[in-house]
Amino acid sequence: MKRYLMKAILSVVTLTTPLLAEVAVVANSSVGVSEISTDDLKRVFLGAKSSLSDGSNVEPVLLQAGAAHEAFLKEYVGKTDAALRNHFKSLVFTGKGSMPKSFASDAEVVAYVAKTKGAIGYVSNAGAAAGVKRIAVR
Amino acid sequence: MRESTKWCIAGLAGLMLAVAPARAQFEFGGKEIQLHGFFSQGFTSSDTNNFLTMKSNSGSFAFTDGGMNISTKLTSRLRVGAQAYSRNIGELSNGRVELDWAYGDYRFTDWLGVRAGKVKTTLGLYNDTQDMEFLHTWAMLPQSFYPLDLRASNISHKGGDLYGEIPVKKLGTLDYTVYGGLRSDDPRGGFRYGLADAGTPISAIDGYLMGADLRWAVPLEGLVIGTTVIKIQGGASAKLEAAGGLPIYADVLGRTFAHYIEYQRNGLKLATEYRRDIASYYFNTPFVPAASNDNRAWYLSGSYRFHPRFEAGAYYSRFIADWDLDHSLPNNKINDTAITARFNLYKTNWNVKAEGHFISGFGNPMSAHSFYTRTNPQGLVPRTNLLILRTGVNF
């Protein structure tokens, strides 16, 4: 019985780990922190938080679609793509915020984050994220 | 050119812009400029009373609005922008283009920012987003709380806001907005329209308002609880037709209290709000009000997104024009039960909605909530069934 239970737990871990590992948070080298809390990450991507604990100003950068995008929103933002778009529209049309930059691919996100001071984004393949720093989410 | 033709052209223009989202952001002088817009067109049909100054009894397309804004970040902390807005609701507003909001926004920290200029007024859950039909399931928000007749009077103030978000560790976050400034006047709005019907045409409205809104995002994901308080001090100039056009000036002292709860989770959205507006009018008697009014409103709504392209919902909304009078009288209440289906045709950029309203009572025409004697010369009747079809695009 105990063995089956262990197998079940291992199966769940094995199945879920790759899903979570698909998303890596990356930032421009100007961002001083190397880790961020899930709460702060959520607030950055909702436009409510514009600076981190080291004082650096940050600007969220989104993927436009895809598995990594959906996984990131579900895991860290708690909104669907449509709900997030509507959230930013409510800011844009009241003048209380701007629409964040969004890109179609990891490569475009990485290229923009690498050249833009304060930019923070996410990609599905951290290994390909050259020129940006990886941010750990705790 | 006929008015309806002009609005159709404007709608087509909006639709074209909606399918060209690449135009929404561009570079100019080294700065990123964002350009966004929206447009909606509605159709109303009622079985008895004409609704919202439209000829809804014979079917009306006089339910149009649209806006366009431009904004940019001048520095990492300073953002500026402005929005133009126009609408045509029956005999209200008449398509006049107005400056909806225009301000600079400087954010010192996450917990302190300041906006100055013509600023959207934070009141309840949706006052500042009431025009953005694409954000809501409904073709029309509960009119007890967000009357389209009074839209321009409630939507903004010329002044400033202090705002911020304060995390309270495990207790969630607190969002606050404190504001003050000059009241907005609306020469083509329902307040003046209703008073003119009563033989008291208003020539000017002035004064200021002060308010505060506090909303708490509690640790339970998706739940927000909040309250808004507003104080208004001002005046209104009018001419009494019954007294041969005798000019009068009334000082007005008003207070608004609103309390609200919203819960959103996995496509489900529940909301309820309660609002009380108290006004005292003084005519040359500074300490004793010559007239006063206490109107109250509340609603309960629920909607569910069954599919990315389809959501449905219902709400029950109640308005009492004068709390001191009998709440069952048709000329003192408006009870509205609404059911809605919304179809998203293109992402969140283009939708179509169908909404049925089953309304009991017509309220007091002077309180500017949907029903007027001028557009119902045959007399108002206690029940109205109303169909609204509305489509909207945005980019």
Coordinates of all heavy atoms in Angstrom, one line a residue, chain A residues 39-40 42-43 47-52 55 57-59 77-83 85-87 89-102 112, chain B residues 25 27 32 34 36-38 67 69 71 73 76-77 79 83 101 103 105 107 110 115 120 122 128-129 132 134-135 165 167 173 221 264 305 342 348-349 394-395:
Chain A
D39 N 4.1 36.8 -4.8 CA 3.2 37.9 -4.6 C 3.7 39.2 -5.3 O 2.9 39.8 -6.0 CB 3.1 38.2 -3.1 CG 1.8 38.8 -2.7 OD1 0.8 38.4 -3.3 OD2 1.8 39.8 -1.9
D40 N 5.0 39.5 -5.2 CA 5.5 40.6 -5.9 C 5.5 40.4 -7.4 O 5.2 41.3 -8.2 CB 7.0 40.9 -5.5 CG 7.0 41.6 -4.1 OD1 6.0 42.0 -3.6 OD2 8.1 41.7 -3.6
K42 N 3.3 38.7 -9.1 CA 2.0 38.9 -9.5 C 1.6 40.4 -9.6 O 1.0 40.8 -10.6 CB 1.0 38.2 -8.5 CG -0.5 38.4 -8.8 CD -1.3 37.7 -7.7 CE -2.8 38.0 -8.0 NZ -3.6 37.3 -7.0
R43 N 2.1 41.1 -8.6 CA 1.7 42.6 -8.6 C 2.5 43.3 -9.7 O 2.0 44.3 -10.3 CB 2.1 43.1 -7.3 CG 1.1 42.6 -6.2 CD 1.5 43.0 -4.8 NE 1.5 44.5 -4.6 CZ 2.4 45.2 -4.0 NH1 3.4 44.6 -3.4 NH2 2.2 46.5 -3.9
G47 N 0.6 45.3 -13.0 CA 0.8 46.7 -13.1 C 0.7 47.5 -11.8 O 0.7 48.7 -11.8
A48 N 0.6 46.7 -10.7 CA 0.4 47.4 -9.4 C 1.7 47.7 -8.7 O 1.8 48.5 -7.8 CB -0.4 46.5 -8.5
K49 N 2.8 47.0 -9.1 CA 4.1 47.2 -8.5 C 5.1 47.6 -9.6 O 5.2 46.9 -10.6 CB 4.6 45.9 -7.9 CG 5.8 46.0 -7.1 CD 6.1 44.8 -6.2 CE 7.3 44.9 -5.3 NZ 7.2 46.0 -4.4
S50 N 5.7 48.7 -9.4 CA 6.6 49.2 -10.5 C 8.1 49.3 -10.1 O 8.9 49.6 -10.8 CB 6.2 50.6 -11.0 OG 6.1 51.5 -9.9
S51 N 8.3 48.9 -8.8 CA 9.7 48.9 -8.4 C 9.9 47.7 -7.4 O 9.0 47.3 -6.7 CB 10.1 50.2 -7.7 OG 9.3 50.4 -6.6
L52 N 11.2 47.2 -7.4 CA 11.5 46.0 -6.6 C 12.3 46.5 -5.3 O 12.6 47.7 -5.2 CB 12.3 45.0 -7.4 CG 11.5 44.4 -8.6 CD1 12.4 43.4 -9.3 CD2 10.2 43.8 -8.2
G55 N 15.1 48.9 -5.4 CA 14.8 50.2 -5.9 C 14.7 50.3 -7.4 O 14.3 51.4 -8.0
N57 N 13.3 50.2 -11.0 CA 12.0 50.2 -11.7 C 11.8 49.1 -12.6 O 12.8 48.7 -13.3 CB 11.8 51.5 -12.4 CG 11.6 52.7 -11.5 OD1 10.8 52.6 -10.6 ND2 12.4 53.7 -11.7
V58 N 10.7 48.4 -12.7 CA 10.5 47.3 -13.6 C 9.3 47.5 -14.5 O 8.3 48.2 -14.1 CB 10.3 46.0 -12.8 CG1 11.6 45.5 -12.2 CG2 9.2 46.1 -11.7
E59 N 9.4 46.8 -15.6 CA 8.3 46.9 -16.6 C 8.0 45.5 -17.1 O 8.9 44.8 -17.6 CB 8.8 47.8 -17.8 CG 7.9 47.7 -19.0 CD 8.7 48.1 -20.3 OE1 9.8 48.8 -20.2 OE2 8.2 47.8 -21.4
V77 N 0.0 34.6 -11.9 CA -0.9 35.8 -12.0 C -2.3 35.5 -11.5 O -3.0 36.3 -11.0 CB -0.9 36.4 -13.4 CG1 -1.7 37.7 -13.5 CG2 0.6 36.7 -13.8
G78 N -2.7 34.2 -11.7 CA -4.1 33.9 -11.3 C -5.2 34.4 -12.2 O -6.3 34.6 -11.7
K79 N -4.8 34.7 -13.4 CA -5.9 35.2 -14.4 C -5.7 34.4 -15.7 O -4.6 34.1 -16.0 CB -5.7 36.7 -14.6 CG -6.2 37.5 -13.4 CD -6.2 39.0 -13.8 CE -6.5 39.9 -12.7 NZ -7.9 39.8 -12.3
T80 N -6.8 34.3 -16.4 CA -6.7 33.8 -17.8 C -6.2 34.9 -18.7 O -6.1 36.1 -18.3 CB -8.1 33.4 -18.3 OG1 -8.9 34.6 -18.3 CG2 -8.7 32.3 -17.4
D81 N -5.8 34.6 -19.9 CA -5.3 35.6 -20.8 C -6.3 36.7 -21.1 O -6.0 37.9 -21.0 CB -4.9 34.9 -22.2 CG -4.5 35.9 -23.2 OD1 -3.4 36.5 -23.0 OD2 -5.2 36.1 -24.2
A82 N -7.6 36.3 -21.2 CA -8.7 37.3 -21.5 C -8.8 38.2 -20.3 O -9.0 39.4 -20.4 CB -10.0 36.5 -21.8
A83 N -8.8 37.6 -19.1 CA -9.0 38.4 -17.9 C -7.8 39.4 -17.7 O -8.0 40.5 -17.3 CB -9.1 37.5 -16.7
R85 N -6.0 40.6 -20.1 CA -6.1 41.7 -21.1 C -7.2 42.7 -20.7 O -7.0 43.9 -20.8 CB -6.6 41.1 -22.5 CG -5.5 40.4 -23.3 CD -6.1 39.7 -24.5 NE -5.1 38.8 -25.0 CZ -4.1 39.2 -25.8 NH1 -4.0 40.4 -26.2 NH2 -3.2 38.3 -26.3
N86 N -8.3 42.2 -20.1 CA -9.3 43.1 -19.7 C -8.8 44.0 -18.5 O -9.2 45.1 -18.4 CB -10.6 42.3 -19.3 CG -11.5 42.0 -20.5 OD1 -11.3 42.7 -21.5 ND2 -12.4 41.1 -20.3
H87 N -8.0 43.3 -17.6 CA -7.5 44.1 -16.5 C -6.7 45.3 -17.0 O -6.8 46.4 -16.6 CB -6.6 43.2 -15.7 CG -5.8 43.9 -14.6 ND1 -6.3 44.4 -13.5 CD2 -4.5 44.3 -14.6 CE1 -5.4 45.0 -12.8 NE2 -4.3 45.0 -13.4
K89 N -6.9 46.7 -20.0 CA -7.8 47.6 -20.7 C -8.4 48.5 -19.7 O -8.6 49.7 -20.0 CB -8.8 46.8 -21.5 CG -8.3 46.3 -22.8 CD -9.3 45.5 -23.5 CE -8.7 44.9 -24.8 NZ -9.7 44.0 -25.5
S90 N -8.8 48.0 -18.6 CA -9.5 48.9 -17.6 C -8.5 50.0 -17.1 O -8.9 51.1 -16.8 CB -10.0 48.0 -16.4 OG -8.9 47.6 -15.6
L91 N -7.2 49.7 -17.1 CA -6.2 50.7 -16.7 C -6.0 51.7 -17.9 O -6.0 52.9 -17.7 CB -4.9 50.0 -16.4 CG -4.9 49.1 -15.2 CD1 -3.5 48.5 -14.9 CD2 -5.4 49.8 -13.9
V92 N -5.9 51.1 -19.1 CA -5.6 52.0 -20.3 C -6.7 52.9 -20.5 O -6.5 54.1 -20.8 CB -5.4 51.1 -21.5 CG1 -5.5 51.9 -22.8 CG2 -4.0 50.3 -21.4
F93 N -8.0 52.5 -20.4 CA -9.1 53.4 -20.8 C -9.5 54.3 -19.7 O -10.4 55.1 -19.9 CB -10.3 52.5 -21.3 CG -10.0 52.0 -22.7 CD1 -9.6 50.7 -22.9 CD2 -10.2 52.8 -23.8 CE1 -9.4 50.2 -24.2 CE2 -10.0 52.4 -25.1 CZ -9.5 51.1 -25.3
T94 N -8.9 54.1 -18.5 CA -9.2 55.1 -17.5 C -7.9 56.0 -17.3 O -7.9 56.9 -16.5 CB -9.5 54.5 -16.1 OG1 -8.4 53.5 -15.8 CG2 -10.8 53.7 -16.2
G95 N -6.9 55.7 -18.1 CA -5.7 56.5 -18.0 C -4.8 56.1 -16.8 O -3.8 56.8 -16.5
K96 N -5.1 55.0 -16.2 CA -4.4 54.6 -14.9 C -3.3 53.6 -15.2 O -2.7 53.2 -14.3 CB -5.4 54.0 -13.9 CG -6.4 55.1 -13.4 CD -7.5 54.5 -12.5 CE -8.4 55.6 -12.1 NZ -9.5 55.1 -11.3
G97 N -3.0 53.4 -16.4 CA -1.9 52.5 -16.8 C -1.7 52.3 -18.2 O -2.5 52.8 -19.0
S98 N -0.7 51.6 -18.6 CA -0.4 51.3 -20.0 C -0.5 49.9 -20.3 O -0.3 49.0 -19.4 CB 1.1 51.8 -20.3 OG 1.3 53.1 -19.9
M99 N -0.7 49.6 -21.6 CA -0.7 48.2 -22.0 C 0.7 47.7 -22.1 O 1.6 48.3 -22.7 CB -1.3 48.1 -23.4 CG -1.8 46.7 -23.8 SD -3.0 46.0 -22.8 CE -4.5 46.7 -23.4
P100 N 1.1 46.5 -21.4 CA 2.5 46.1 -21.4 C 2.8 45.6 -22.8 O 2.0 45.2 -23.6 CB 2.5 44.9 -20.4 CG 1.0 44.5 -20.3 CD 0.2 45.7 -20.6
K101 N 4.1 45.6 -23.1 CA 4.6 45.0 -24.3 C 4.4 43.5 -24.4 O 4.5 42.9 -23.3 CB 6.1 45.3 -24.4 CG 6.5 46.7 -24.9 CD 6.6 46.7 -26.3 CE 7.2 48.1 -26.8 NZ 7.0 48.2 -28.2
S102 N 4.1 43.0 -25.5 CA 3.9 41.6 -25.6 C 4.5 41.1 -26.9 O 4.5 41.8 -27.9 CB 2.4 41.2 -25.6 OG 1.7 41.7 -26.6
Y112 N 14.0 41.8 -26.3 CA 13.5 43.1 -25.8 C 14.0 43.3 -24.3 O 14.4 44.4 -23.9 CB 12.0 43.1 -25.8 CG 11.4 44.4 -25.3 CD1 11.4 45.6 -26.1 CD2 10.9 44.5 -24.0 CE1 10.9 46.8 -25.6 CE2 10.4 45.7 -23.5 CZ 10.4 46.8 -24.3 OH 9.9 48.0 -23.8
Chain B
Q25 N 0.4 50.8 -30.8 CA 1.7 51.3 -30.2 C 2.7 51.7 -31.3 O 2.8 50.9 -32.3 CB 2.3 50.2 -29.4 CG 1.4 49.8 -28.2 CD 2.0 48.7 -27.4 OE1 3.1 48.2 -27.6 NE2 1.4 48.3 -26.3
E27 N 6.4 54.3 -32.1 CA 7.5 55.1 -31.5 C 7.4 56.5 -32.1 O 7.1 56.7 -33.3 CB 8.9 54.5 -31.9 CG 9.1 53.2 -31.3 CD 9.8 53.3 -29.9 OE1 10.4 54.3 -29.6 OE2 9.5 52.4 -29.1
E32 N 7.6 55.6 -26.6 CA 6.5 54.8 -27.1 C 5.2 55.5 -26.9 O 4.8 55.9 -25.8 CB 6.5 53.4 -26.4 CG 5.4 52.5 -27.0 CD 5.2 51.3 -26.1 OE1 4.3 51.4 -25.2 OE2 5.9 50.3 -26.3
Q34 N 1.1 55.1 -27.0 CA 0.0 54.1 -27.1 C -1.3 54.8 -27.5 O -1.6 55.9 -27.0 CB -0.2 53.4 -25.8 CG 1.0 52.5 -25.4 CD 0.6 51.5 -24.4 OE1 -0.5 51.4 -23.8 NE2 1.6 50.6 -24.0
H36 N -5.3 53.9 -28.2 CA -6.4 52.9 -28.0 C -7.8 53.5 -28.2 O -7.9 54.7 -27.9 CB -6.3 52.3 -26.6 CG -5.0 51.5 -26.3 ND1 -4.8 50.2 -26.7 CD2 -3.9 51.9 -25.7 CE1 -3.6 49.8 -26.4 NE2 -3.0 50.8 -25.8
G37 N -8.7 52.7 -28.6 CA -10.1 53.2 -28.8 C -11.1 52.2 -28.6 O -10.8 51.0 -28.6
F38 N -12.3 52.6 -28.6 CA -13.5 51.7 -28.5 C -14.7 52.4 -29.1 O -14.8 53.6 -29.2 CB -13.8 51.3 -27.0 CG -14.2 52.5 -26.1 CD1 -15.6 52.7 -25.9 CD2 -13.3 53.3 -25.5 CE1 -16.0 53.8 -25.1 CE2 -13.7 54.4 -24.7 CZ -15.0 54.6 -24.5
G67 N -14.7 56.2 -27.9 CA -13.7 57.1 -27.3 C -12.3 56.6 -27.9 O -12.2 55.5 -28.4
N69 N -8.0 57.2 -26.9 CA -7.0 57.9 -26.1 C -5.6 57.7 -26.6 O -5.3 56.8 -27.4 CB -7.2 57.3 -24.6 CG -6.8 55.9 -24.5 OD1 -5.7 55.5 -24.7 ND2 -7.8 55.0 -24.1
S71 N -1.5 58.0 -25.0 CA -0.7 58.1 -23.7 C 0.7 57.8 -24.0 O 1.0 57.0 -24.9 CB -1.3 57.3 -22.6 OG -1.2 55.9 -23.0
K73 N 4.7 57.3 -21.7 CA 5.5 57.4 -20.4 C 6.6 58.4 -20.7 O 7.5 58.1 -21.6 CB 6.1 56.1 -20.0 CG 5.2 55.3 -19.1 CD 6.0 54.1 -18.6 CE 5.4 53.6 -17.3 NZ 6.1 52.4 -16.8
S76 N 10.2 56.8 -16.2 CA 9.7 55.6 -15.7 C 8.6 55.8 -14.7 O 7.9 54.9 -14.3 CB 10.9 54.8 -15.1 OG 11.5 55.6 -14.0
R77 N 8.5 57.0 -14.1 CA 7.5 57.3 -13.1 C 6.4 58.2 -13.6 O 5.4 58.3 -12.9 CB 8.2 58.0 -11.9 CG 9.2 57.1 -11.2 CD 9.8 57.9 -10.0 NE 10.9 57.1 -9.4 CZ 10.7 56.2 -8.4 NH1 9.5 55.9 -8.0 NH2 11.8 55.6 -7.9
R79 N 3.6 59.4 -16.4 CA 2.9 59.1 -17.6 C 1.8 60.2 -17.8 O 1.2 60.7 -16.9 CB 2.2 57.7 -17.3 CG 1.7 57.0 -18.5 CD 1.4 55.5 -18.2 NE 0.9 55.4 -16.9 CZ -0.4 55.7 -16.5 NH1 -1.2 56.2 -17.5 NH2 -0.8 55.6 -15.3
Q83 N -8.1 61.3 -23.2 CA -9.1 60.6 -24.0 C -10.2 61.5 -24.4 O -10.8 62.2 -23.6 CB -9.6 59.4 -23.1 CG -10.7 58.6 -23.8 CD -11.0 57.3 -23.2 OE1 -10.1 56.4 -23.2 NE2 -12.1 57.1 -22.5
W101 N -10.9 62.4 -20.1 CA -9.9 62.6 -19.1 C -8.6 63.0 -19.7 O -8.4 62.8 -20.9 CB -9.7 61.3 -18.3 CG -9.4 60.0 -19.1 CD1 -10.3 59.0 -19.4 CD2 -8.2 59.6 -19.6 NE1 -9.7 58.0 -20.1 CE2 -8.4 58.3 -20.2 CE3 -6.9 60.1 -19.6 CZ2 -7.4 57.6 -20.9 CZ3 -5.9 59.4 -20.3 CH2 -6.1 58.2 -20.9
Y103 N -4.7 63.8 -18.0 CA -3.9 64.1 -16.8 C -2.5 63.5 -16.9 O -2.1 62.7 -17.7 CB -4.6 63.6 -15.6 CG -5.0 62.2 -15.5 CD1 -4.2 61.2 -15.1 CD2 -6.3 61.9 -15.8 CE1 -4.6 59.9 -15.0 CE2 -6.8 60.6 -15.7 CZ -5.9 59.6 -15.3 OH -6.3 58.3 -15.2
D105 N 0.4 61.6 -14.5 CA 0.3 60.6 -13.4 C 1.8 60.3 -12.9 O 2.5 59.8 -13.7 CB -0.4 59.3 -13.9 CG -0.5 58.3 -12.8 OD1 0.3 58.3 -11.8 OD2 -1.4 57.4 -12.9
R107 N 4.2 58.5 -10.2 CA 4.2 57.4 -9.2 C 5.5 57.5 -8.4 O 6.5 57.1 -8.9 CB 4.0 56.1 -9.9 CG 3.5 55.0 -9.0 CD 3.0 53.9 -9.9 NE 2.7 52.7 -9.2 CZ 2.2 51.6 -9.8 NH1 1.8 51.7 -11.1 NH2 2.0 50.5 -9.2
D110 N 5.1 52.5 -5.0 CA 3.9 51.7 -5.2 C 2.7 52.1 -4.3 O 1.6 52.0 -4.6 CB 4.2 50.2 -5.0 CG 5.1 49.7 -6.0 OD1 5.2 50.2 -7.1 OD2 5.9 48.7 -5.7
R115 N -2.2 61.9 -9.4 CA -2.7 62.2 -10.8 C -3.3 63.6 -10.7 O -4.0 64.0 -9.7 CB -3.8 61.3 -11.2 CG -3.5 59.9 -11.2 CD -4.7 59.0 -11.7 NE -4.4 57.6 -11.5 CZ -5.0 56.9 -10.5 NH1 -5.9 57.4 -9.7 NH2 -4.7 55.6 -10.3
K120 N -10.7 60.5 -13.9 CA -11.8 59.7 -13.7 C -12.1 59.5 -12.2 O -11.2 59.2 -11.4 CB -11.6 58.3 -14.3 CG -11.7 58.4 -15.8 CD -13.0 57.7 -16.2 CE -13.2 57.8 -17.7 NZ -13.9 56.6 -18.3
T122 N -13.2 57.7 -8.9 CA -13.4 56.4 -8.3 C -14.6 56.3 -7.4 O -14.7 57.1 -6.4 CB -12.1 56.0 -7.5 OG1 -11.0 56.2 -8.4 CG2 -12.2 54.5 -7.1
D128 N -15.5 54.3 -12.9 CA -14.5 54.8 -13.9 C -14.5 53.9 -15.1 O -13.9 54.3 -16.1 CB -13.2 54.9 -13.2 CG -12.7 53.7 -12.5 OD1 -13.5 52.7 -12.4 OD2 -11.5 53.6 -12.1
T129 N -15.0 52.7 -15.1 CA -15.0 51.8 -16.3 C -16.4 51.6 -16.9 O -16.6 50.7 -17.7 CB -14.4 50.5 -16.0 OG1 -15.2 49.8 -15.0 CG2 -13.0 50.6 -15.4
M132 N -16.9 51.2 -20.6 CA -16.2 50.2 -21.3 C -17.0 48.9 -21.3 O -16.7 48.0 -20.5 CB -14.8 50.0 -20.6 CG -14.0 51.2 -20.7 SD -12.8 51.2 -19.4 CE -12.7 52.9 -19.0
F134 N -17.0 46.4 -23.0 CA -16.2 45.2 -23.3 C -15.6 44.6 -22.0 O -15.2 43.4 -22.0 CB -15.1 45.5 -24.3 CG -14.3 46.7 -24.0 CD1 -13.2 46.6 -23.2 CD2 -14.6 47.9 -24.5 CE1 -12.4 47.8 -22.9 CE2 -13.9 49.1 -24.2 CZ -12.8 49.0 -23.4
L135 N -15.6 45.4 -20.9 CA -15.1 44.8 -19.7 C -16.2 44.1 -18.9 O -15.9 43.3 -17.9 CB -14.5 45.9 -18.8 CG -13.3 46.7 -19.3 CD1 -12.9 47.7 -18.2 CD2 -12.2 45.7 -19.5
E165 N -1.1 51.4 -3.5 CA -1.5 50.1 -3.0 C -0.6 49.7 -1.9 O 0.7 49.8 -2.0 CB -1.4 49.1 -4.2 CG -1.8 47.7 -3.8 CD -1.5 46.7 -4.9 OE1 -0.4 46.1 -4.8 OE2 -2.3 46.4 -5.7
P167 N 0.5 46.6 0.5 CA 0.4 45.2 0.9 C 0.3 45.1 2.4 O 1.0 45.8 3.1 CB 1.7 44.5 0.4 CG 2.3 45.5 -0.5 CD 1.8 46.9 0.0
T173 N -4.1 43.0 0.2 CA -3.6 44.4 -0.1 C -4.7 45.4 0.0 O -5.9 45.1 -0.2 CB -3.1 44.5 -1.6 OG1 -4.1 44.0 -2.4 CG2 -1.8 43.7 -1.7
E221 N -8.4 34.5 -2.8 CA -8.1 34.9 -4.2 C -9.4 35.3 -4.9 O -10.4 34.6 -4.9 CB -7.5 33.7 -5.0 CG -7.2 34.0 -6.4 CD -5.9 34.8 -6.6 OE1 -5.0 34.7 -5.7 OE2 -5.8 35.6 -7.5
Q264 N -14.3 37.1 -8.1 CA -14.1 36.6 -9.5 C -13.2 35.3 -9.3 O -12.1 35.4 -8.7 CB -13.3 37.6 -10.3 CG -14.1 38.8 -10.8 CD -13.3 39.6 -11.7 OE1 -13.1 39.2 -12.9 NE2 -12.8 40.7 -11.3
R305 N -18.5 32.7 -17.4 CA -17.9 32.5 -18.7 C -17.9 31.0 -19.0 O -17.0 30.3 -18.4 CB -16.5 33.1 -18.8 CG -15.9 33.0 -20.1 CD -14.6 33.8 -20.3 NE -14.9 35.2 -20.4 CZ -14.1 36.1 -20.9 NH1 -12.9 35.7 -21.3 NH2 -14.4 37.3 -20.9
R342 N -23.6 37.1 -23.7 CA -22.5 37.8 -24.4 C -21.7 36.8 -25.3 O -21.3 35.8 -24.8 CB -21.6 38.5 -23.4 CG -20.3 39.0 -24.0 CD -19.4 39.7 -23.0 NE -18.1 40.0 -23.6 CZ -17.3 40.9 -23.2 NH1 -17.6 41.7 -22.3 NH2 -16.1 41.1 -23.8
T348 N -11.0 39.5 -27.1 CA -11.7 40.4 -26.3 C -12.0 41.7 -27.0 O -12.3 42.7 -26.4 CB -11.0 40.7 -24.9 OG1 -9.7 41.2 -25.3 CG2 -10.8 39.4 -24.1
N349 N -11.8 41.7 -28.3 CA -11.8 43.0 -29.1 C -13.2 43.3 -29.8 O -13.4 44.4 -30.2 CB -10.7 43.0 -30.2 CG -9.4 42.9 -29.5 OD1 -8.8 41.9 -29.5 ND2 -8.9 44.0 -29.0
N394 N -13.0 47.2 -29.7 CA -12.0 48.0 -29.0 C -10.6 47.6 -29.5 O -10.5 46.5 -30.0 CB -12.1 47.9 -27.5 CG -11.8 46.5 -27.0 OD1 -10.6 46.2 -26.8 ND2 -12.8 45.6 -26.9
F395 N -9.7 48.4 -29.4 CA -8.3 48.1 -29.7 C -7.3 48.7 -28.8 O -7.7 49.7 -28.1 CB -8.0 48.4 -31.1 CG -7.8 49.9 -31.4 CD1 -6.6 50.5 -31.4 CD2 -9.0 50.7 -31.6 CE1 -6.5 51.9 -31.6 CE2 -8.9 52.0 -31.9 CZ -7.6 52.6 -31.8

